[in-house]
Amino acid sequence: VTFFPAVLTRPAGGSATFFCNISMENDSGSEYSLNWYKETNHSQAQKIAEISRNNPQTKTEKYLLTNYTPAFKIEILNLHQNDSGSYYCGLIAFFEPDKVMESNRSYLVVTAAPEKTNATDEPEMEEGNPPDHVKAVLLGILLLAGAVVLLIFGYLTITYRRGDVQKPPSEKAPAKKEKPPEVSVSTVDYGVLEFQWDQRTQVPPETRPVDQTEYATIVFLDGKPVTPERGKKHQD
């Protein structure tokens, strides 16, 4: 009677399958039964299931037994960590009273169930200690934002400098208002100057000079004088 595999490791919640293979020299249709045993910490073995030669399959809440003569399969369902231990099978031959043939021992190791991850649930993060991928994303965002700010600043600087170069000098700085030079304007006026003859000196008609008109140009700096002719023109 052989039992295999020798060692089996399965997670909690799954199942474990062992095979028990029997070999009889003279199989003349004798009745026999196959028992499965569990041994924990080298303690006394405990019978967990059995199946007879003529029974094709037996199922309980914890075990599923299938007859593939001369091989028999036992499947341990819904594993828990306390299912870990040594397992073996024993052949009970009824044609030879009280004859029991035990197989070798196989060991089952049940590990903790893997943590279920829900795609819709957000991973829990410890306060003040974000995961590495979150740090990498934040660093990438900061670098991208800094590059955008530098590009905008450079663009504004270049645009401002080009606009300053293209502006004519008159637009760069307001021109100083220069006072027009003071120009002295001379007013030319024409008037008649009457010269009175000296009545005291009597000049004979023969020697009296011919009447003549004298012209003179008089420049007034402070204002225009009002001559008799100008006053008369203003009244007209």
Side-chain angles (χ1 to χ4, degrees):
V1 181
T2 57
F3 197 65
F4 60 92
V7 179
L8 194 61
T9 303
R10 289 290 184 269
S15 62
T17 302
F18 289 97
F19 291 90
C20 186
N21 198 9
I22 64 174
S23 177
M24 299 176 60
E25 296 179 358
N26 297 319
D27 186 6
S28 58
S30 302
E31 291 294 327
Y32 58 86
S33 177
L34 199 64
N35 295 344
W36 270 269
Y37 302 92
K38 178 185 177 184
E39 193 176 74
T40 305
N41 296 328
H42 303 288
S43 62
Q44 184 177 1
Q46 177 186 1
K47 180 181 176 181
I48 58 176
E50 69 173 319
I51 187 172
S52 63
R53 174 179 180 177
N54 299 323
N55 192 356
Q57 190 178 71
T58 299
K59 183 178 180 181
T60 64
E61 183 179 355
K62 186 68 176 177
Y63 305 100
L64 175 62
L65 309 176
T66 307
N67 186 349
Y68 298 106
T69 306
F72 293 82
K73 181 179 76 171
I74 178 171
E75 188 173 1
I76 307 172
L77 307 175
N78 192 20
L79 291 174
H80 297 282
Q81 287 187 314
N82 58 4
D83 291 327
S84 298
S86 296
Y87 291 83
Y88 64 96
C89 61
L91 177 64
I92 310 296
F94 296 112
F95 57 88
E96 295 183 10
D98 299 330
K99 186 175 182 180
V100 179
M101 290 178 288
E102 295 182 353
S103 68
N104 56 295
R105 269 63 171 168
S106 295
Y107 196 77
L108 173 64
V109 179
V110 180
T111 60
E115 295 182 0
K116 295 181 179 180
T117 56
N118 193 345
T120 58
D121 296 338
E122 295 181 358
E124 297 181 357
M125 294 188 298
E126 298 180 0
E127 294 184 2
N129 188 18
D132 292 338
H133 67 277
V134 176
K135 293 180 181 179
V137 171
L138 292 177
L139 181 59
I141 293 174
L142 291 176
L143 291 176
L144 181 60
V148 171
V149 171
L150 290 177
L151 288 176
I152 294 175
F153 179 75
Y155 173 77
L156 294 177
T157 303
I158 294 173
T159 304
Y160 176 77
R161 289 181 178 178
R162 287 181 178 177
D164 191 31
V165 171
Q166 293 175 359
K167 285 183 180 180
S170 59
E171 295 183 4
K172 293 182 180 179
K176 295 182 179 180
K177 295 182 180 180
E178 296 182 358
K179 295 182 180 180
E182 297 181 358
V183 180
S184 59
V185 180
S186 300
T187 303
V188 180
D189 197 2
Y190 297 93
V192 179
L193 300 180
E194 296 181 357
F195 298 90
Q196 301 294 332
W197 292 95
D198 190 358
Q199 300 296 334
R200 293 174 298 177
T201 304
Q202 297 295 330
V203 179
E206 293 82 3
T207 60
R208 183 180 301 175
V210 182
D211 292 338
Q212 58 183 2
T213 302
E214 297 290 339
Y215 295 93
T217 300
I218 304 174
V219 178
F220 299 93
L221 299 178
D222 296 332
K224 295 180 180 180
V226 180
T227 60
E229 289 77 6
R230 184 180 296 276
K232 183 179 180 181
K233 292 178 180 180
H234 180 67
Q235 292 177 358
D236 292 340

